[in-house]
Amino acid sequence: MTWIPKASAIAREAGSRLREFFAQGVETEYKGDADLVTVADRTAEKLIRERLAEAFHDHGVYGEEGTRERMEGEYRWYVDPLDGTTNFAHGFPQFCVSMGLEHRPAGIAADQDGVLVAGVIYDPMRDELYTAERGRGAWLGAKPLHVTRTPVLAESLVSTGFPSRKRHLSPNIHFYHEFTLRSHGVRRAGSAALDLAYVAAGRLEAFWEFNLNPWDTAAGILLVEEAGGQVTDFAGTPCQLNSREVLASNGLIHTELVDLFKNMFAGRDLSPIPTPQEFARKRAVSAAIAELER
């Protein structure tokens, strides 16, 4: 069975409503220090909840804005109606609708993950629809997606995010500093779902973040995996939906990323950052070896 056509139509409809709200401006309120809720969030989640009930009447819905319906069902949608709320509230056009579907067979424990089987991420400002189904690949519209073949962090463009509230408690600024020095650049655009979609699409080599929720990551994890990438926690073990650590990459640089995290967490001396000349020599040697092996 394919869930994508109906889910895509729902995501597009919700995205259309977000565009309307974005154009007219919306009132916002605060859940925490800087954790915004908007009328658009709630309106989009209500629309998605109703459309999912019509299209998949026995599926559960677990939404960011509080929806908890049919949670005992065999299938469960994790819904973020507006990932990138802070961007949206400030008129910064980087946000999306994210919907990931988990299969939870009978007898599965409440604290155990099922299998992610479908995912949809829709960027309404660029009209970009990312979709994936387990075993069927990942797609941007009608174009199949593949992660990049970049083999080292030094040549990679990576991304991360920071919590909307209690930022002073997050250690991520230290990791941001190290990755900035050791990569081709770090981006912080404010939508974890889109960052994961960009890894799948080959626009980024990797993404990491602390303390995300299932509605942030369910669709994006499947997109990355179906595009040929890898998603784990920072230790390299399989990523869980309730994981507080998410590390996604093109797979080729994953071991390097995990090793870097291990060293940073342990406080061990990190290897010196090569100068441009040293990096050029190392790359020339690698290219020569690759040529000999052909």
Side-chain angles (χ1 to χ4, degrees), residues 97-216:
V97 178
S98 181
M99 302 164 54
L101 179 61
E102 177 193 25
H103 179 220
R104 300 183 59 81
I108 191 170
D111 60 351
Q112 181 182 353
D113 279 359
V115 177
L116 292 172
V117 293
V120 175
I121 294 175
Y122 180 56
D123 178 348
M125 302 307 289
R126 296 176 183 81
D127 191 26
E128 291 187 336
L129 181 70
Y130 302 85
T131 61
E133 279 194 333
R134 178 70 61 186
R136 295 172 179 257
W139 303 79
L140 174 52
K143 175 186 175 182
L145 296 182
H146 304 284
V147 295
T148 71
R149 302 298 298 170
T150 304
V152 292
L153 176 59
E155 297 180 6
S156 298
L157 185 65
V158 302
S159 66
T160 189
F162 292 87
S164 297
R165 52 183 172 176
K166 299 181 180 178
R167 295 180 191 138
H168 60 290
L169 299 178
S170 173
N172 202 27
I173 190 63
H174 305 292
F175 296 85
Y176 182 92
H177 174 75
E178 291 293 336
F179 274 97
T180 298
L181 294 174
R182 298 170 190 280
S183 68
H184 211 195
V186 179
R187 300 292 178 261
R188 194 275 194 185
S191 169
L194 280 179
D195 285 339
L196 287 164
Y198 283 11
V199 173
R203 296 174 179 176
L204 296 166
E205 272 68 44
F207 165 74
W208 86 92
E209 192 166 345
F210 291 85
N211 297 327
L212 292 174
N213 296 292
W215 52 77
D216 298 311

Side-chain angles (χ1 to χ4, degrees), residues 223-256:
L223 275 165
V224 173
E225 291 177 345
E226 286 296 309
Q230 186 174 359
V231 187
T232 68
D233 62 16
F234 298 157
T237 57
C239 185
Q240 302 294 310
L241 282 173
N242 65 351
S243 174
R244 311 314 287 171
E245 303 171 355
V246 176
L247 175 61
S249 80
N250 65 359
L252 297 179
I253 66 170
H254 211 84
T255 297
E256 185 179 1

